[in-house]
Amino acid sequence: MSGLLGSIEGPQDVKRLAVEELPQLAGEIRDVLVDACARFGGHLGPNLGVVELTIALHRVFDSPRDPIIWDTGHQSYVHKLLTGRAAGFEALKQEGGLSGYPSQAESEHDFVENSHASTALSYADGLAKAFKLHRDRDASGDAGRTAVAVIGDGALTGGMAWEALNNIAAIKDLPVVIVVNDNGRSYSPTIGGLASHLSSLRVNRRYEDVLEYVKDKIGNVPVLYDALHGFKKGVKDVLAPQVMFEDLGLKYVGPIDGHDEQAMEAALRQARDFRGPVIVHALTQKGRGYTPAENHDEDQFHSPGAFDRATGAEKPKGRIWTNVFSEELVRLGKERDDLVAITAAMLHPTGLNAFAEAYPDRIYDVGIAEQHALTSAAGLALGGLHPIVAVYATFLNRAFDQLLMDVALHRLPVTVVLDRAGVTGDDGASHNGMWDLSILQVVPGLRVAVPRDGDRLTELLREAVEVTDGPTVLRFPKGPVAEPIEAVGKLGEMDLLRAAAAEPDVLLVGVGPMAQVCMDAAVLLDAQGISATVVDPRWVKPLDEALVLAAGAHKLVAVVEDNGRVGGVGDAVARLLRDADVDVPVRTFGIPQQFLDHAKRAKILGRIGLTGQDLARQITEAVARRSNAAEPVRR
């Protein structure tokens, strides 16, 4: 890589650059960002908005000694480029390439691998407390270290961030600097010499000492102290109305133009030198420097797929699962005026935008607040409505208690729709929706549906919203919708997809999209003389009792699911058969309980053995072992 960016191997190189060279560096960074995201997609808009801010951070602080925590982590692309990872950046989010989020495996400059929002302030709180404790014990240890949290792109709408702020403010000498990356266009920078002076005054330790002296020495004259302190706040209220943070007990600097690198440096140095909790409020423009992103009304190219660099036109994705859900929900909304929808800051990604356009008074965007979303849904249900809460499957983890105790305990008709369930691929370990079918098993009265194709998605969504005596969950994966697989019959309420041609050997239970994998495996097994029946349960919680009779007619049961193997549908099937005293071996095939490296979904499924060929091979070996009685089939 040529140019200034090619000479950057770490933050020390950024510090050595002359001020006059920084605009050139910023331009080169934006070119690299656009080129990389145009090829494969990525979080382009947020990163175009933090270029100057990130340069300033690395010129003021000493990463990794001063850890910089990004919230959410998708804003860290520029940070990666400035910490020695420019070479190879073109393979961002590709197998073997850089992660789309901070990654400890990539660099010592990535302290945490955070991609779930609103966590950075809690990390920074703990780190700063550790630094302070070490400093107090040994002045030569962690003296001068600062924990830096960059929070923005909606992360401050999460309640956890405010819990952290409350704790950070309680310790007046806690070495933490919080940079609020405000790209919401809701504020204007304060301009002029007096405003700049007041920003400096608020983080001037001598000013604080004077206030403390006055308070201590003339505490019996509180009016004087209150007047002095109130004058400062009163003037500031006129010039910078964002007094909320100082009301929490946090020093506040800003708003600062986040694209004025020198202004950002000055503000960050003031905050660093204060040696207590300080908020630096930076105003940035999402999509800055790339015209198609700046002019993109929907979300300034927040996270586009591959696109044409010259025009910004996104390359066609084809019909995806989300489209099917979105269209059917609009149809249902026309039929039923009691249906309302909730999103946690994911209106377009979850497909609720079409419902919002059709029924604007029946959509609620609660911000990055999944916990609130579920309990608010409970309230809506208590009020006689049927809420549909659409979230990515991985984010349901955050609202499990609310689903359990606020929704299920009251047997409320709330439908939770989980997009991007199972292996998601290039978004990395934290975005794989591989936990829900395990954690949902413990919720009493909950029903869970998993469609195998688009036709079943519409069918099961309609069935879910008809349930009135408890919550329902519908989950589907990321990517192109599967081709329809028509049933050849019924086993109870389950779909029979393939009947064994001869005396049945193996019952293949394909959960949702894994039904196609089972169909592929059945053909290969047939070629080996192994007769296989394939069923799709449709509803995997509770399981259909017809599964007991079906299993008893086979020599082996294999359950295949796009979920972690531990505690999922496979374990539920094994438990069902044990409880019914059906002594048929059960093999479970799913995602291993590990954090998966990023790659395309198909690549990961192949790597972990969730393909028809891998399934057929393992089942053939299991049947052979059972026939030879060489060793028992592993349960």
Side-chain angles (χ1 to χ4, degrees), residues 32-34 36-38 40-51 72-78 80 89 92-93 99-102 114-115 153 183 286-287 293 299-307 346 349 392 395 420 426-428 430-431 478:
V32 170
L33 292 174
V34 174
C37 292
F40 301 114
H43 286 92
L44 178 60
N47 284 282
L48 289 172
V50 297
V51 174
T72 62
H74 67 235
Q75 300 173 99
S76 63
Y77 292 6
V78 184
K80 288 174 183 271
F89 193 80
L92 179 72
K93 298 178 65 176
S99 167
Y101 295 93
N114 59 324
S115 64
D153 225 27
N183 57 19
K286 205 168 183 177
D299 61 8
Q300 291 73 54
F301 272 36
H302 175 78
S303 181
F307 59 90
M346 303 288 279
Y392 284 1
F395 298 138
R420 301 199 179 195
D426 47 17
D427 284 326
S430 61
H431 270 55
K478 176 185 178 180

Side-chain angles (χ1 to χ4, degrees), residues 415-418 421 436-437 440 446-452 456-457 459-464 471-476 511-513 536-542:
T415 296
V416 180
V417 175
L418 302 181
D436 56 286
L437 289 181
L440 294 176
L446 175 71
R447 298 170 176 87
V448 180
V450 189
R452 66 180 178 269
R456 252 44 61 182
L457 195 163
E459 180 181 281
L460 289 168
L461 178 60
R462 285 183 170 271
E463 292 179 23
T472 53
V473 171
L474 178 74
R475 60 135 38 200
F476 51 83
V511 177
D536 170 11
R538 299 176 67 252
W539 290 92
V540 298
K541 184 182 186 304

